[in-house]
Amino acid sequence: MTLAIELTGITKRFPGVVANDDINLAVAEGEIHAICGENGAGKSTLMKILYGMQPPDSGTIKIHGEAVELHSPAQAIDLGIGMVHQHFMLADQLTVLENVILGAEPMRSFGRIDFDAGREHLDEVGRAYGLDINADDLVETLEIGERQRVEIIKVLYRGAKILILDEPTAVLVPQEVDELFRNIRELKASGATILFIDHKLDEVLEIADTITVLRQGQTVGTVKPEDVTAHDLAEMMIGSELPVPDAGASTVTSEVALAVDGLRVIGEGDRAVVDDVSLSVHRGEIVGIAGVEGNGQAELVNAIIGLDDPDEGTITLLGREITRFSVRSRREMGLGYVPQDRHRDGLLLGFTLWENSALGHQTEGPYSRGPWLSRAGMRDRASRIKADFDVRTPNIEVSAHALSGGNQQKLILGREMVAGPAVLIANHPTRGIDVGAQAAVWDDIREARAQGLATLLVSADLEELIGLSDTIVVMLRGRLVASLDPNEITPRDLGAYMTGAALEAEAP
Amino acid sequence: MTARLTHRLMLSSAAPIAAVVIAVVLSSIVLLISGSNPLAAYADMVGHASKLETQVDILNRATPLYLSGVAAAIGFRMNLFNIGVEGQYLLAFIVSAHLGAQVELPAVLHIAFILVVAMAVGGAFSGAAGVLKVTRGVNEVISTIMLNAVVISGLSAWWIVEWQAGGEISATGGRVGTEPIADSGILPNINSWLELFTREIGLGKKLTGMLVIAVAVGIVYHVMLNRTVFGFDLRASGANPTASHVGGVSPKRMVVIAMALSGAVAGLVGMTELMNTGYYPSNPISLLGFTGIAVALLGRNNPAGVAVAALIFAFLDVSSGILQISGAASREIVEIMKGVIILTAVIAYEVVRRIREREEAAAAAAAMATSPAAAL
């Protein structure tokens, strides 16, 4: 058996993290090879290395048995490697044909594009791989699944024999997933090699010939789907030796601070992305939401914060219904928020730290009095946040982009905490920050819990969820599918719930 | 601390100074190539500008440019490109000139009425583009360009005929324009204020009273932007709309308000001419709106910076006249200088911003390293 791809000892470091640590991967020609792993396990980095977008720090890459050094995607394309990105890169106003030939246009004399040759080649590719698409359709009229097919054809048109599909099912509804899988099998039958990145275990087991699991930048193992269950895969992905820190004595009271009742949010394609979700968070309680990303957590949080209006259901904060309240009035009532994406949702990067310390609370004292800002109040608060939350910075006059990720996160957490919130929504509060800052964030949340703070914690970090939460609910495909006691659950079982494996096992 | 402050001040003044120096050097090269003596040309420009009457001209020219620059700057602060200042001020000009001539009010009220009408018309017209943006997703650049056309070749062309003083436009007889406003509606000139410090202003030059209004607008803009919650919302929303939305600032609301405010200030641009002539002429001073965009760019959307930029542009505009008369150089050289100043300013500001960013990051990293807990 020849190997289409052979990666040996691939290591890639970024400042503060080792994204890939001595990874080995062997992909046979003509197989569907799935790469699984949690977020941050190093899948994307590995694919970027293979596609020439980033050079590895060490290790060798062999394509069809020949050692190569990849410096650019163009070079990877020349070697027959094509990548279908998770987010489509198509021009909506152009036709399928125009999109496919874009950047690889067949030319006639005087710089004219030879559309006939392009169409002919496109038809050939479509026939050869059993992909059905109308070359003259405008891309904006296509369904998501069809757009993805255009992306795949685009790659094949350039002569790719090895296809990398980056979480191709993330954007698809189940029927479209079936269609995609049919296409992938046809590609395989026509001799293509597929590298399939995913973390949905049922899908991986269905489509893959071989599965390689990554965890924390390392290869855990390579298995055949017929030899493993979803349980085994979950265990490989998450690891079973995770420590379970003591959550401390329960401080849960009987007073409900935040209640969500029958919440529904309809997303694109009339799909309910949050489907009949009800939950309540008491004062002094931390409720953890576990789930594989993209199962409705973000939409649920947006509805609670007030960024998006829910289509059905109610949200109650401290006994008052706030379903239609503005973000500002919710915040003034005592809703704190630590966003998942600091740079996009949490900070004004070009603004000073003291200005950032007011964001979201600028209408409240001591940041302002009536319509007037109080610079003294803002600076005072910023200094207090710097001291109390150990934000490492030369002074509070520097702009936010000068701080490291962990310090930015401590600033955001501090800003929300000093405002004395009644309810805190913490959305992946320790994502992408170093271990020291992570521990500090956990301590702060625990301390606030003891003071009666109600916290809704959304996280992909199972250790964090189990260690901090008083209750864990599992979100899957927009629904809350399980409510678990963190004292009794292992990361392995929790992982199984998150991927739906445990529910299938329970079903009769 | 003083050393750091001096350093900061040097950094922030480096960019505009570099821009002007480079512009002078490049313009000199152009002048030499075209066979003129740069030193003679500059001597003419400076000599002319040192006369009191010229200075009045410069201030009269700088006043509408400043208002136009502030109007554009308010939009820029919100990441909005209000390219429609041109149409907004012309529309506000003709409507307030017409309505101002129809009412009889005591002096102060009459002036206030005209200014309020101008601001309301400009604000509503510009606000419409904001509403289109947030409800229908129409890019404000497209909508304001089209609204400019609606005003310039549409409404004002129609209304100047409709509101023409004495009915029919006559090719021979006198003034072509709207009915003149009664004296009670005319903001008096402030020659006497300037004469307090200097000599009597000659050549019949009148320093516009709108200068006072422009200064007031600048102060209100500064205070609003830096000292109020609303100004914080505006700056935050312009810098990062998603983070501001999470922080309770509705981006849609801010877009509409910023467009309306920008248009309201734009409405005042034409008032300098109205308060001078008393009516809307068939050929009003135009292109002030587009120049305002350049003025805002050079002035970094900052109230004081925009004032300096407006003065520089006004100086260059007024100088072009003397160059033509003295024959030291072609008058078009001032257009080249304006262009070069803008380009070099944009580049210099960016360079300074990067230097500052790097210094801050280095300082923050140093703070991490010296902290005892950094070992974590």
Side-chain angles (χ1 to χ4, degrees), chain B residues 13-104:
Chain B
S13 52
I17 291 173
V20 171
V21 169
I22 295 172
V24 168
V25 170
L26 289 180
S27 310
S28 304
I29 294 171
V30 173
L31 283 168
L32 283 173
I33 291 172
S34 61
S36 308
N37 179 353
L39 290 178
Y42 299 147
D44 279 350
M45 288 167 75
V46 173
H48 183 55
S50 63
K51 290 192 203 110
L52 182 62
E53 284 72 23
T54 315
Q55 286 160 5
V56 171
D57 280 347
I58 292 175
L59 287 174
N60 283 343
R61 176 71 181 173
T63 299
L65 283 179
Y66 181 64
L67 289 166
S68 174
V70 169
I74 293 172
F76 282 138
R77 283 287 186 177
M78 211 17 238
N79 267 339
L80 293 168
F81 203 163
N82 180 7
I83 215 165
V85 172
E86 187 74 17
Q88 289 147 22
Y89 91 78
L90 288 171
L91 185 73
F93 189 176
I94 190 169
V95 172
S96 58
H98 175 65
L99 292 182
Q102 307 300 310
V103 295
E104 271 180 49

Side-chain angles (χ1 to χ4, degrees), chain B residues 142-201:
Chain B
I142 308 293
S143 60
T144 53
I145 286 178
M146 300 209 296
L147 288 171
N148 277 345
V150 167
V151 173
I152 294 164
S153 45
L155 294 176
S156 66
W158 169 32
W159 285 340
I160 187 75
V161 176
E162 206 59 27
W163 296 337
Q164 163 67 19
E168 299 285 301
I169 297 179
S170 75
T172 51
R175 178 183 54 237
V176 178
T178 58
E179 202 78 44
I181 294 169
D183 283 348
S184 58
I186 300 294
L187 195 63
N189 68 58
I190 52 169
N191 279 7
S192 54
W193 298 20
L194 188 59
E195 282 164 355
L196 278 182
F197 305 100
T198 59
R199 59 180 168 79
E200 198 178 325
I201 297 170

Side-chain angles (χ1 to χ4, degrees), chain A residues 354 366-367 369 373-383 396, chain B residues 227:
Chain A
W354 56 270
Y367 300 113
R369 218 170 304 116
L373 282 185
S374 161
R375 291 183 168 203
M378 289 162 89
R379 287 204 169 92
D380 245 32
R381 270 295 170 88
S383 301
I396 53 168
Chain B
R227 300 293 168 139

Side-chain angles (χ1 to χ4, degrees), chain A residues 197-335:
Chain A
I197 305 169
D198 204 349
H199 51 206
K200 294 183 187 155
L201 302 181
D202 44 347
E203 292 174 0
V204 168
L205 287 170
E206 183 189 337
I207 189 79
D209 298 318
T210 312
I211 304 167
T212 295
V213 180
L214 300 185
R215 189 203 320 147
Q216 289 167 9
Q218 295 177 316
T219 340
V220 181
T222 298
V223 294
K224 294 281 175 191
E226 53 271 24
D227 302 336
V228 291
T229 64
H231 254 101
D232 300 332
L233 275 185
E235 189 183 6
M236 287 175 75
M237 269 168 66
I238 290 145
S240 45
E241 73 294 320
L242 288 172
V244 182
D246 184 19
S250 171
T251 56
V252 181
T253 66
S254 60
E255 197 181 329
V256 175
L258 174 74
V260 172
D261 191 34
L263 203 71
R264 270 169 73 87
V265 178
I266 307 296
E268 273 174 51
D270 290 336
R271 212 154 38 106
V273 284
V274 175
D275 196 358
D276 195 20
V277 166
S278 300
L279 59 83
S280 54
V281 188
H282 298 81
R283 279 173 52 79
E285 183 183 30
I286 299 177
V287 173
I289 297 187
V292 174
E293 210 157 317
N295 276 284
Q297 303 95 318
E299 290 81 1
L300 173 64
V301 166
N302 282 352
I304 296 175
I305 301 300
L307 294 176
D308 292 326
D309 280 341
D311 294 275
E312 274 174 47
T314 60
I315 303 162
T316 311
L317 180 66
L318 303 173
R320 275 177 78 185
E321 200 202 309
I322 57 159
T323 317
R324 302 282 154 189
F325 279 28
S326 69
V327 180
R328 177 158 283 172
S329 31
R330 290 176 205 219
R331 281 182 157 276
E332 286 171 349
M333 281 175 69
L335 185 67

Side-chain angles (χ1 to χ4, degrees), chain A residues 383-404:
Chain A
S383 301
R384 203 177 120 196
I385 293 168
K386 174 179 184 288
D388 291 0
F389 291 83
D390 189 28
V391 181
R392 309 255 168 81
T393 167
N395 57 61
I396 53 168
E397 303 292 332
V398 301
S399 43
H401 63 72
L403 298 192
S404 70

Side-chain angles (χ1 to χ4, degrees), chain B residues 280-313:
Chain B
Y280 179 93
S282 62
N283 56 340
I285 298 172
S286 63
L287 300 182
L288 290 169
F290 295 123
T291 313
I293 294 169
V295 169
L297 203 60
L298 184 61
R300 303 287 288 162
N301 305 329
N302 166 304
V306 174
V308 173
L311 285 170
I312 291 176
F313 270 55

